[in-house]
Amino acid sequence: MNKNRVRLIFGVILVILLVSVLISGCSFGDLFGGQSSAKLPAPQSSAIITPADQTVIAVGFPVQVLSRHASFKELSRVELWVQKEGQAETQLRADQPGEGTVRQEWIPDSPGVYTLRVKDIDFNNAEKGSPAPVTVRVEAAPVGTPSIQPVGTPRPKP
């Protein structure tokens, strides 16, 4: 009877252990110091989503710079910086991060190669990070580009 009681206690402990592993989503490797197959790499803290690197843009057309910020709750603002090739970098605007993304508009005013950069600024006014910059090429709109002109509605002839 003593052996049966030990087996019962051991079985209960084993069932509890298996249930806790299933509930927590861990693998046995986690429990015994091995590598877990469920661990994912940490997400990059920030990234520029659009425009894509090497995008060609027309002069005078608005560009939406969309950036993602994993630690947005720790940021007071996200700054948009633009640098035309051969010129100094200029801060265009600073916006508060919403729910992890920031949309900032930039309208290029002359052709050239530009580098777009966003800077994460924390509540102590220190730069917390800066994702990889994006380089875009701005070109003049082609001559003779058709434009849409409003016209009156034609009336049917009787």
Side-chain angles (χ1 to χ4, degrees), residues 15-86:
V15 167
I16 291 171
L17 181 64
L18 287 173
V19 168
S20 66
V21 167
L22 291 173
I23 290 173
S24 69
C26 297
S27 67
F28 280 107
D30 289 334
L31 294 175
F32 301 108
Q35 294 282 334
S36 169
S37 60
K39 291 182 181 174
L40 298 174
Q44 186 180 8
S45 62
S46 297
I48 296 176
I49 308 301
T50 60
D53 198 40
Q54 304 302 317
T55 299
V56 177
I57 299 165
V59 170
F61 285 92
V63 176
Q64 298 298 319
V65 179
L66 178 65
S67 54
R68 175 181 42 86
H69 307 273
S71 58
F72 68 93
K73 291 180 180 178
E74 301 169 12
L75 303 177
S76 68
R77 66 186 183 276
V78 174
E79 298 176 348
L80 174 62
W81 291 75
V82 177
Q83 180 179 20
K84 186 174 181 179
E85 195 171 59

Side-chain angles (χ1 to χ4, degrees), residues 44-47 67-80 94-104 118-131:
Q44 186 180 8
S45 62
S46 297
S67 54
R68 175 181 42 86
H69 307 273
S71 58
F72 68 93
K73 291 180 180 178
E74 301 169 12
L75 303 177
S76 68
R77 66 186 183 276
V78 174
E79 298 176 348
L80 174 62
D95 298 281
Q96 292 182 331
E99 291 297 314
T101 60
V102 177
R103 183 178 308 270
Q104 298 168 302
V118 294
K119 296 180 181 180
D120 296 345
I121 308 298
D122 67 14
F123 290 99
N124 295 318
N125 287 325
E127 186 175 338
K128 186 167 176 69
S130 180

